[in-house]
Amino acid sequence: MAVTIDLSGRVALVTGGTRGVGAGIARALLAAGAEVVVCARRPPDHPVATDGRTARFLPADLRDPAAAEALFARLGKDYGRLDTLVNNAGGTPYRLLADATAGHVVRVVELNLLVPLTASLAAYAQMREQRGGGSIVMIGSVSGSRPSPGSAAYGAAKAGLESLARSMAAEWAPTVRVNTVVLGMVRTERTAMHYGDEQGVAAVGRTVPMGRLAEPAEAGDACVFLASDLAAYISGASLHVHGGGERPAFLAAANAPTT
């Protein structure tokens, strides 16, 4: 029997939801019937939409606590509730630690750890007062569980984000559930910047057991599940959406066995 997730009547906010993974998550929530708001510092080049439904865009720089407070106050005023928060905003440029300044490291940690914390606190203040509570989903990364040369501060922040989610889940149960979707490599409009042309992308994809990069919609499907009643008893969990992880490098380097 097919399982259909219906989020009709629920309100979801996706931070950094105007492009890439965030837009994929927003479209998945729209397809499930939710009213979806996306926020970012700049508006999307094109509206985030699917199946004739469009996400509402609200500008916000969540690094400013006052701006974050104002955003959640507006959501409360306009919709009367917030059922799902997806903390997707984040990222980092490639930069080796020896080439980074302390200021750069602080900004990376702020965006990838402190911004989700600030947003989650504001969301919890609303969710704890409403019938049905709510669900918070952190967008994590495999960088948080393995060495991440060139993105060390990002990896450290993502490791902290998973720990934060588990502590929030313990403190805020049973009213608000908090989980993490741990992503590996995802194909977005910026993929070519990291891996080059299609041949390069395919080569990188072959390092993943599933043989390819993830699509943003697949991250979205995981978020829809965690936002739904099917996940009503899931909190403090980390759901890995990484195609099986990464093959150990030594396997490629080792000599083939002789007969």
Side-chain angles (χ1 to χ4, degrees), residues 157-215:
K158 289 299 189 180
L161 190 64
E162 279 194 72
S163 175
L164 177 65
R166 290 191 292 270
S167 294
M168 286 178 171
E171 290 192 17
W172 295 350
T175 307
V176 175
R177 296 183 297 107
V178 188
N179 293 290
T180 305
V181 171
V182 182
L183 296 180
M185 295 176 288
V186 184
R187 178 190 284 270
T188 70
E189 57 266 38
R190 293 191 164 192
T191 297
M193 293 173 55
H194 299 285
Y195 310 125
D197 59 16
E198 283 301 313
Q199 186 175 359
V201 173
V204 172
R206 287 193 292 272
T207 70
V208 180
M210 290 295 288
R212 62 175 177 83
L213 276 60
E215 297 294 334

Side-chain angles (χ1 to χ4, degrees), residues 88-187:
N88 168 77
T92 184
Y94 179 88
R95 187 172 298 169
L96 295 173
L97 276 175
D99 300 326
T101 65
H104 164 78
V105 171
V106 167
R107 288 190 295 273
V108 170
V109 173
E110 178 185 39
L111 178 60
N112 292 282
L113 179 58
L114 299 184
V115 163
L117 170 58
T118 300
S120 297
L121 288 169
Y124 175 67
Q126 291 193 34
M127 291 175 174
R128 68 182 177 184
E129 300 296 335
Q130 66 192 24
R131 184 177 180 181
S135 170
I136 296 173
V137 181
M138 308 292 196
I139 300 302
S141 170
V142 294
S143 293
S145 59
R146 56 138 167 86
S148 298
S151 57
Y154 173 80
K158 289 299 189 180
L161 190 64
E162 279 194 72
S163 175
L164 177 65
R166 290 191 292 270
S167 294
M168 286 178 171
E171 290 192 17
W172 295 350
T175 307
V176 175
R177 296 183 297 107
V178 188
N179 293 290
T180 305
V181 171
V182 182
L183 296 180
M185 295 176 288
V186 184
R187 178 190 284 270

Side-chain angles (χ1 to χ4, degrees), residues 14-63:
V14 182
T15 68
T18 58
R19 64 186 182 190
V21 171
I25 293 169
R27 292 189 188 99
L29 290 164
L30 284 168
E35 294 295 324
V36 180
V37 178
V38 296
C39 70
R41 287 178 294 167
R42 292 179 292 275
D45 295 331
H46 306 285
V48 178
T50 189
D51 298 332
R53 305 187 68 237
T54 303
R56 178 186 181 187
F57 170 73
L58 291 176
D61 184 350
L62 296 180
R63 295 173 300 181

